[in-house]
Structure formats: structure tokens, C-alpha cells
Amino acid sequence: MKLTRREFIKKTGATIIGASLIGFENTLEKRKLGKTGLNITILGLGCAQIGSIRSFRQAVKIVETAIDLGINYIDTASTYGNSEEKVGEVMKSRRKEVVLATKTLQRDKESSWREINTSLERLKTDYVDILQIHSVNTMYELDKITSKNGSLYAVIRAKEEGLCKHIGITGHKNPEVIKEALNRFDFETVLIPLSPVDKLLNDFGDVIFPIAQKKNIGVIAMKVLADGRYTKFVSESLRYVFSLPISTAIVGMQTLDELKQNVEIAKNFVPMRLSEMQNFIEKTKKHASTSILWWKQG
């Protein structure tokens, strides 16, 4: 059954900021980020690509333009090259305009605490809105981060001291590990790979959507374009993932043209019918392998 925009907005908890439903195409839809109380645009800026742009000035321009075009969710990490420094250059004057997320990849409490503070220095801010424990892919890693000396306790300390507002977790390979993490601790957000090809290869959505809905956890999608492996399907891929029960999809964009194109797609988003989603999954079936979805290897 096809949902109207009004029905879809009601179902997902989306809001329209600064425009009527009739003028919806002129703005980016916003949705609630779980129980955080935050409203974020369905298209977010993923900054792994920002870190790989050689020109510091060009990278900063992309971040600034993303905000100018209405994107209010920015996701980075200390391991994304110098992306935090580039984002930080923009945050000096525009911090209040965005929901800012970063990550710690460290597994022990002491190393994670140092990494968190380094990230804040680079980002030129006193706090991030979302602090995520990054890339938890095995039960061994989950046990380690939740142990007495694990990184989770550095993140909890960061929240207690006002260095972050909300705590999240990310995973790339094993949805059952992330499900267990969500049962062990009251994470407020989860960042997972979601795309039509992911659907065919150890899908996160089937496992995570039910528990996220039950616990009111904000779901953030990544790898929605298979890390740039099938760019001829950009419009359909974004429309597909926006039709899922997510809060936002973070996308890496290396040029202003890519940024503007993706913003226009998001502004004109109309939910896919179930039959359309199934047809698109079939269309991208040949890409469903770990040689393409490299983050699912091992």
C-alpha cells in the first residue's frame, strides 16, 4: 500500500520545519531521533569522505554548504583522517545549527577517554550531541567495551561531565552483536549499514528495527550507496533507505555537485511502495557480495 506524504510523516514521526506540506519540496524532512528529543534531517553528512579530500578549504566549503542547504546532522570520527579538524573549522561559528556526532574506536576506558577529549579539541566544541562507540562487530569486542575497564564507561563519564548529550553504538558486520548491545545498555542511537544489497547479505534491518522500535532508539543508516560502489542508483538508493524506519541516512559527499544532487533527492522524497522496494532489491542483487560490501568481510 502506498502511503501519502502526510501518512508517512505521521507514521515515522517526521516533522516539517519551515514549510507547509504543500511546499514540502522546498525543505528537508526532519524526523525524531529516537528518545533523544532531537529532530534531524533525513539526509545527514557523513564525514569519512571529508577526511580524504586533499583541499582543506574545499572540504570546509562542503560542510558549510551542507548546512546552508538545510542538513543539520553531521557525523564524523577521529579515525576519518583530518575530518574532525575540517568540521571543527565550521563549528567555530555554526555549532548551534547542527546535531554533531563523533565516535571512539578505542576499546578500553583510558584510551577512549583520551580519544574523546582529542575529538572535542579538533571539533572546537565543548560537547557533541551523539558520542558513539564505533564498529562493534564481535561478541568479544562487545564484552570488552562493556567490561569494568571498557570504553563504554569512558563514554558514560563523558555524558556525566557534559561532553556529550547522548550515547550511541555502531556496527558493520553482525546484527546479532548490535542487538545484544542494545539489550545490555540503554543506547539512544544505533548506526548500521542499510541498503538494498545489505538486505540480501546478513541484513541489519530485520534484526534491529524491532528492538529499536520497542526501545525508541534512533536508527541511523550508513553505507546506503555501498560506499560508492553503485553510484548509478543514487536516487533510488536514497529513496529506498529514506523509506525505511530510520531517522537519517549519512552519506559521504566529496564534491558540491554530489551534495546538491543528494539534497534535491531528499527534498523530493516520496516513500517507495513495498513492491518498488522488492523490485529494487532484485535489481541490485548482483552487488550483494562481500567483495563489494567489504565491511561485511571476516
Side-chain angles (χ1 to χ4, degrees), residues 13 156 209 214 228:
I156 292 172
F209 289 152
K214 180 180 178 181

Side-chain angles (χ1 to χ4, degrees), residues 242-258:
F242 294 152
S243 299
L244 298 174
I246 66 166
S247 297
T248 188
I250 58 171
V251 179
M253 295 170 271
Q254 286 190 306
T255 69
L256 290 174
D257 286 343
E258 286 178 358

Side-chain angles (χ1 to χ4, degrees), residues 111-168:
S111 297
S112 183
W113 181 249
R114 287 197 299 268
E115 186 175 42
I116 291 165
N117 282 275
T118 298
S119 289
L120 292 174
E121 291 175 8
R122 292 171 175 170
L123 290 166
K124 296 180 173 61
T125 184
D126 295 329
Y127 74 97
V128 290
D129 297 283
I130 313 292
L131 181 57
Q132 303 157 104
I133 300 178
H134 193 36
S135 196
V136 181
N137 297 313
T138 66
M139 288 297 181
Y140 172 78
E141 288 179 302
L142 179 58
D143 288 341
K144 192 167 184 179
I145 68 166
T146 56
S147 68
K148 182 179 179 181
N149 292 311
S151 57
L152 175 59
Y153 293 93
V155 175
I156 292 172
R157 177 185 171 188
K159 185 174 181 180
E160 291 173 344
E161 296 190 12
L163 305 185
C164 75
K165 300 295 185 182
H166 309 283
I167 297 174

Side-chain angles (χ1 to χ4, degrees), residues 83 94 115 181:
S83 71
R94 307 193 69 171
E115 186 175 42

Side-chain angles (χ1 to χ4, degrees), residues 66-106:
I67 300 172
D68 291 340
L69 294 175
I71 290 175
N72 80 337
Y73 189 84
I74 295 178
D75 175 279
T76 186
S78 64
T79 52
Y80 295 168
N82 65 348
S83 71
E84 287 185 327
E85 287 93 333
K86 292 167 177 171
V87 173
E89 186 65 21
V90 180
M91 292 302 99
K92 287 192 300 184
S93 58
R94 307 193 69 171
R95 177 67 184 91
K96 293 181 180 180
E97 297 178 58
V98 301
V99 174
L100 181 61
T102 194
K103 311 177 187 79
T104 176
L105 191 59
Q106 300 300 319

